[in-house]
mmCIF file of all heavy atoms in Angstrom:
data_model
loop_
_atom_site.group_PDB
_atom_site.id
_atom_site.type_symbol
_atom_site.label_atom_id
_atom_site.label_comp_id
_atom_site.label_asym_id
_atom_site.label_seq_id
_atom_site.Cartn_x
_atom_site.Cartn_y
_atom_site.Cartn_z
ATOM 1 N N GLY T 148 106.347 142.459 116.711
ATOM 2 C CA GLY T 148 105.085 142.037 116.113
ATOM 3 C C GLY T 148 104.854 142.829 114.845
ATOM 4 O O GLY T 148 105.132 144.032 114.809
ATOM 5 N N LEU T 149 104.380 142.163 113.794
ATOM 6 C CA LEU T 149 104.084 142.846 112.532
ATOM 7 C C LEU T 149 102.644 142.542 112.154
ATOM 8 O O LEU T 149 102.208 141.380 112.194
ATOM 9 C CB LEU T 149 105.029 142.351 111.439
ATOM 10 C CG LEU T 149 106.498 142.729 111.637
ATOM 11 C CD1 LEU T 149 107.404 141.912 110.719
ATOM 12 C CD2 LEU T 149 106.698 144.227 111.392
ATOM 13 N N ALA T 150 101.924 143.596 111.788
ATOM 14 C CA ALA T 150 100.490 143.450 111.534
ATOM 15 C C ALA T 150 100.001 144.634 110.708
ATOM 16 O O ALA T 150 100.772 145.556 110.437
ATOM 17 C CB ALA T 150 99.758 143.375 112.873
ATOM 18 N N PRO T 151 98.718 144.639 110.341
ATOM 19 C CA PRO T 151 98.198 145.757 109.538
ATOM 20 C C PRO T 151 97.902 147.014 110.354
ATOM 21 O O PRO T 151 97.607 148.052 109.771
ATOM 22 C CB PRO T 151 96.903 145.213 108.924
ATOM 23 C CG PRO T 151 96.925 143.742 109.174
ATOM 24 C CD PRO T 151 97.749 143.522 110.382
ATOM 25 N N ASN T 152 97.925 146.921 111.689
ATOM 26 C CA ASN T 152 97.667 148.118 112.486
ATOM 27 C C ASN T 152 98.337 148.023 113.855
ATOM 28 O O ASN T 152 98.879 146.986 114.236
ATOM 29 C CB ASN T 152 96.158 148.380 112.621
ATOM 30 C CG ASN T 152 95.445 147.262 113.374
ATOM 31 O OD1 ASN T 152 95.816 146.909 114.483
ATOM 32 N ND2 ASN T 152 94.416 146.699 112.749
ATOM 33 N N MET T 153 98.293 149.105 114.599
ATOM 34 C CA MET T 153 99.015 149.202 115.873
ATOM 35 C C MET T 153 98.474 148.244 116.935
ATOM 36 O O MET T 153 99.254 147.600 117.649
ATOM 37 C CB MET T 153 98.962 150.653 116.399
ATOM 38 C CG MET T 153 99.735 151.632 115.532
ATOM 39 S SD MET T 153 99.433 153.370 115.936
ATOM 40 C CE MET T 153 100.326 153.543 117.469
ATOM 41 N N ILE T 154 97.174 148.174 117.057
ATOM 42 C CA ILE T 154 96.564 147.301 118.074
ATOM 43 C C ILE T 154 97.019 145.858 117.897
ATOM 44 O O ILE T 154 97.415 145.184 118.853
ATOM 45 C CB ILE T 154 95.014 147.386 117.988
ATOM 46 C CG1 ILE T 154 94.527 148.774 118.417
ATOM 47 C CG2 ILE T 154 94.382 146.282 118.813
ATOM 48 C CD1 ILE T 154 94.439 148.975 119.913
ATOM 49 N N VAL T 155 96.962 145.379 116.668
ATOM 50 C CA VAL T 155 97.329 143.983 116.406
ATOM 51 C C VAL T 155 98.846 143.786 116.497
ATOM 52 O O VAL T 155 99.318 142.757 116.991
ATOM 53 C CB VAL T 155 96.785 143.512 115.036
ATOM 54 C CG1 VAL T 155 97.143 142.048 114.806
ATOM 55 C CG2 VAL T 155 95.271 143.687 114.972
ATOM 56 N N ALA T 156 99.613 144.802 116.067
ATOM 57 C CA ALA T 156 101.073 144.698 116.165
ATOM 58 C C ALA T 156 101.499 144.543 117.624
ATOM 59 O O ALA T 156 102.392 143.757 117.947
ATOM 60 C CB ALA T 156 101.728 145.937 115.553
ATOM 61 N N LYS T 157 100.828 145.268 118.493
ATOM 62 C CA LYS T 157 101.146 145.193 119.928
ATOM 63 C C LYS T 157 100.829 143.785 120.470
ATOM 64 O O LYS T 157 101.613 143.205 121.227
ATOM 65 C CB LYS T 157 100.340 146.265 120.666
ATOM 66 C CG LYS T 157 100.344 146.169 122.171
ATOM 67 C CD LYS T 157 101.465 146.947 122.819
ATOM 68 C CE LYS T 157 101.339 146.866 124.340
ATOM 69 N NZ LYS T 157 102.559 147.272 125.015
ATOM 70 N N LEU T 158 99.687 143.257 120.080
ATOM 71 C CA LEU T 158 99.336 141.889 120.500
ATOM 72 C C LEU T 158 100.352 140.890 119.946
ATOM 73 O O LEU T 158 100.726 139.927 120.619
ATOM 74 C CB LEU T 158 97.937 141.510 119.989
ATOM 75 C CG LEU T 158 96.747 142.277 120.567
ATOM 76 C CD1 LEU T 158 95.462 141.879 119.836
ATOM 77 C CD2 LEU T 158 96.608 142.013 122.058
ATOM 78 N N ALA T 159 100.790 141.149 118.734
ATOM 79 C CA ALA T 159 101.717 140.224 118.071
ATOM 80 C C ALA T 159 103.097 140.217 118.739
ATOM 81 O O ALA T 159 103.699 139.154 118.908
ATOM 82 C CB ALA T 159 101.846 140.583 116.594
ATOM 83 N N SER T 160 103.583 141.388 119.147
ATOM 84 C CA SER T 160 104.918 141.422 119.766
ATOM 85 C C SER T 160 104.886 140.689 121.104
ATOM 86 O O SER T 160 105.888 140.175 121.577
ATOM 87 C CB SER T 160 105.400 142.859 119.965
ATOM 88 O OG SER T 160 104.666 143.509 120.976
ATOM 89 N N ASP T 161 103.715 140.650 121.712
ATOM 90 C CA ASP T 161 103.554 140.009 123.016
ATOM 91 C C ASP T 161 103.342 138.494 122.888
ATOM 92 O O ASP T 161 103.477 137.757 123.864
ATOM 93 C CB ASP T 161 102.343 140.642 123.723
ATOM 94 C CG ASP T 161 102.260 140.231 125.178
ATOM 95 O OD1 ASP T 161 103.262 140.414 125.892
ATOM 96 O OD2 ASP T 161 101.207 139.719 125.593
ATOM 97 N N TYR T 162 103.004 138.079 121.683
ATOM 98 C CA TYR T 162 102.557 136.696 121.453
ATOM 99 C C TYR T 162 103.651 135.658 121.691
ATOM 100 O O TYR T 162 103.429 134.612 122.272
ATOM 101 C CB TYR T 162 102.025 136.582 120.030
ATOM 102 C CG TYR T 162 101.248 135.323 119.762
ATOM 103 C CD1 TYR T 162 100.007 135.111 120.369
ATOM 104 C CD2 TYR T 162 101.743 134.351 118.885
ATOM 105 C CE1 TYR T 162 99.279 133.953 120.121
ATOM 106 C CE2 TYR T 162 101.017 133.196 118.633
ATOM 107 C CZ TYR T 162 99.792 133.001 119.244
ATOM 108 O OH TYR T 162 99.070 131.865 118.994
ATOM 109 N N GLN T 163 104.844 135.966 121.210
ATOM 110 C CA GLN T 163 105.984 135.058 121.414
ATOM 111 C C GLN T 163 107.106 135.852 122.063
ATOM 112 O O GLN T 163 107.703 136.714 121.437
ATOM 113 C CB GLN T 163 106.489 134.516 120.083
ATOM 114 C CG GLN T 163 105.576 133.508 119.423
ATOM 115 C CD GLN T 163 106.132 133.092 118.070
ATOM 116 O OE1 GLN T 163 105.891 133.771 117.072
ATOM 117 N NE2 GLN T 163 106.873 132.014 118.045
ATOM 118 N N LYS T 164 107.385 135.556 123.282
ATOM 119 C CA LYS T 164 108.402 136.278 124.038
ATOM 120 C C LYS T 164 109.159 135.287 124.884
ATOM 121 O O LYS T 164 108.566 134.345 125.374
ATOM 122 C CB LYS T 164 107.722 137.280 124.983
ATOM 123 C CG LYS T 164 107.536 138.658 124.436
ATOM 124 C CD LYS T 164 107.009 139.498 125.610
ATOM 125 C CE LYS T 164 106.830 140.941 125.204
ATOM 126 N NZ LYS T 164 106.354 141.756 126.307
ATOM 127 N N PRO T 165 110.414 135.508 125.180
ATOM 128 C CA PRO T 165 111.252 136.571 124.613
ATOM 129 C C PRO T 165 111.810 136.179 123.242
ATOM 130 O O PRO T 165 111.619 135.061 122.800
ATOM 131 C CB PRO T 165 112.378 136.653 125.637
ATOM 132 C CG PRO T 165 112.485 135.260 126.183
ATOM 133 C CD PRO T 165 111.109 134.683 126.156
ATOM 134 N N ASP T 166 112.497 137.119 122.635
ATOM 135 C CA ASP T 166 113.194 136.892 121.362
ATOM 136 C C ASP T 166 112.268 136.401 120.266
ATOM 137 O O ASP T 166 112.642 135.523 119.497
ATOM 138 C CB ASP T 166 114.357 135.902 121.585
ATOM 139 C CG ASP T 166 115.423 136.005 120.510
ATOM 140 O OD1 ASP T 166 115.433 137.025 119.782
ATOM 141 O OD2 ASP T 166 116.233 135.068 120.385
ATOM 142 N N GLY T 167 111.057 136.956 120.209
ATOM 143 C CA GLY T 167 110.079 136.488 119.227
ATOM 144 C C GLY T 167 109.876 137.428 118.043
ATOM 145 O O GLY T 167 110.247 138.604 118.087
ATOM 146 N N LEU T 168 109.320 136.873 117.002
ATOM 147 C CA LEU T 168 108.881 137.689 115.851
ATOM 148 C C LEU T 168 107.582 137.059 115.370
ATOM 149 O O LEU T 168 107.571 135.909 114.929
ATOM 150 C CB LEU T 168 109.922 137.671 114.731
ATOM 151 C CG LEU T 168 109.474 138.398 113.453
ATOM 152 C CD1 LEU T 168 109.391 139.896 113.674
ATOM 153 C CD2 LEU T 168 110.407 138.106 112.288
ATOM 154 N N THR T 169 106.498 137.810 115.468
ATOM 155 C CA THR T 169 105.202 137.281 115.071
ATOM 156 C C THR T 169 104.602 138.153 113.980
ATOM 157 O O THR T 169 104.511 139.370 114.142
ATOM 158 C CB THR T 169 104.246 137.229 116.279
ATOM 159 O OG1 THR T 169 104.824 136.411 117.291
ATOM 160 C CG2 THR T 169 102.885 136.667 115.875
ATOM 161 N N VAL T 170 104.246 137.518 112.893
ATOM 162 C CA VAL T 170 103.638 138.231 111.771
ATOM 163 C C VAL T 170 102.169 137.844 111.681
ATOM 164 O O VAL T 170 101.838 136.654 111.663
ATOM 165 C CB VAL T 170 104.341 137.862 110.446
ATOM 166 C CG1 VAL T 170 103.748 138.672 109.292
ATOM 167 C CG2 VAL T 170 105.844 138.105 110.550
ATOM 168 N N VAL T 171 101.307 138.838 111.649
ATOM 169 C CA VAL T 171 99.874 138.581 111.495
ATOM 170 C C VAL T 171 99.424 139.302 110.224
ATOM 171 O O VAL T 171 99.325 140.533 110.205
ATOM 172 C CB VAL T 171 99.060 139.086 112.705
ATOM 173 C CG1 VAL T 171 97.578 138.759 112.539
ATOM 174 C CG2 VAL T 171 99.595 138.473 113.998
#
Side-chain angles (χ1 to χ4, degrees):
Chain T
L149 293 166
N152 64 54
M153 293 169 73
I154 292 279
V155 182
K157 169 90 176 164
L158 294 174
S160 70
D161 191 54
Y162 193 68
Q163 288 177 275
K164 268 187 178 181
D166 202 16
L168 175 69
T169 301
V170 183
V171 182

